[in-house]
Every structure is written in C-alpha cells, then in structure tokens.
Amino acid sequence: RALMIAQRTIEQKDALIEMQKPKVRFAEAVTGSDGSILIGELAKLITQNGYEIGRTRLFDWLRRNGYLFKNSTEPIQKWVEKGLFETKVSIIHTHHGEHEVLTTKVTGKGQRYFIDVFLSGRG
C-alpha cells in the first residue's frame, strides 16, 4: 500500500513538472535578457506563453495599475527608480520644427517582474 501511495505521489509530481515546463522556459528566456524592450514586445512575450494580452490591453493594464500615467505612455517615476522602466528621449525634426518624443522601455528587471505578475495570476 505504501508503495502505491509513493508511486501516485511521484506521478503527481511528474505531471506538475510537465505542466510547469512552459512557464519555466518563459521565465528563463526573460531572465537571460539584459536588454530593454518596448511594451508591445512584452505583450507579445506574454501572449506567446499562453497569457492572451495585446499591446493595447497591456498599456491599459499598466495605466489602471499605476505603472504609467493615465493618458500617457510615460512611466510613473517610482517604477523608473525601482528599475522596471527606462525612458529614451528622441528629437524628431519636422517642417514645423523639432519635437521631443519619449519612448518607454521595459528593463530586464521589469520584464521578470511583469512576467511574474502574469504567471502568478495577478495580471
């Protein structure tokens, strides 16, 4: 009887390991990334791993949860200081003059953070 219980326990653990493999591969891929990515690229990473969220819905989620300003793509300073985001300012030259454009990127640390949020079901 003890042998049957042990065998059932092993089978349950094996099934759990198989179920977790995609999540582990996803987390390992992001952990190895030191570069920053655009928020749209983060949405693609999350979607590729079974968590349906597009660029627009991810932006909405980030705004609703206080990571980005309400009507902007600019991150809240608190999250920049914590290392989740970085911003890049570019100068665009048009026939109307020069304009500054702010691009928000998710750092490697931010990618790991948000992936953990979505993998844990908090997203």
Side-chain angles (χ1 to χ4, degrees):
R1 180 177 165 99
L3 187 57
M4 289 173 60
I5 292 172
Q7 182 63 35
R8 209 170 343 162
T9 302
I10 290 170
E11 289 170 1
Q12 289 172 344
K13 286 184 179 182
D14 288 346
L16 180 61
I17 289 169
E18 281 300 312
M19 192 172 71
Q20 297 292 332
K21 277 185 181 179
K23 294 177 183 179
V24 170
R25 278 194 302 269
F26 182 46
E28 286 173 345
V30 172
T31 301
S33 170
D34 290 329
S36 297
I37 63 172
L38 296 171
I39 292 172
E41 293 168 336
L42 178 62
K44 287 178 188 176
L45 276 177
I46 293 168
T47 298
Q48 287 170 358
N49 286 275
Y51 297 86
E52 286 292 323
I53 189 161
R55 177 184 174 275
T56 302
R57 283 188 294 173
L58 181 56
F59 268 109
D60 290 343
W61 184 90
L62 291 168
R63 289 182 186 110
R64 276 194 324 273
N65 288 280
Y67 295 98
L68 301 178
F69 285 104
K70 292 292 180 198
N71 293 313
S72 173
T73 60
E74 185 177 352
I76 304 291
Q77 185 63 32
K78 166 184 171 180
W79 302 111
V80 173
E81 291 170 0
K82 289 187 182 260
L84 301 185
F85 298 102
E86 63 183 18
T87 57
K88 178 184 172 193
V89 177
S90 302
I91 305 294
I92 304 294
H93 301 279
T94 68
H95 62 279
H96 295 292
E98 296 180 344
H99 301 283
E100 284 187 358
V101 177
L102 181 83
T103 303
T104 298
K105 290 189 158 194
V106 184
T107 64
K109 179 180 179 180
Q111 293 168 52
R112 289 186 292 275
Y113 173 85
F114 289 114
I115 287 166
D116 180 53
V117 167
F118 284 94
L119 290 179
S120 68
R122 295 177 288 162

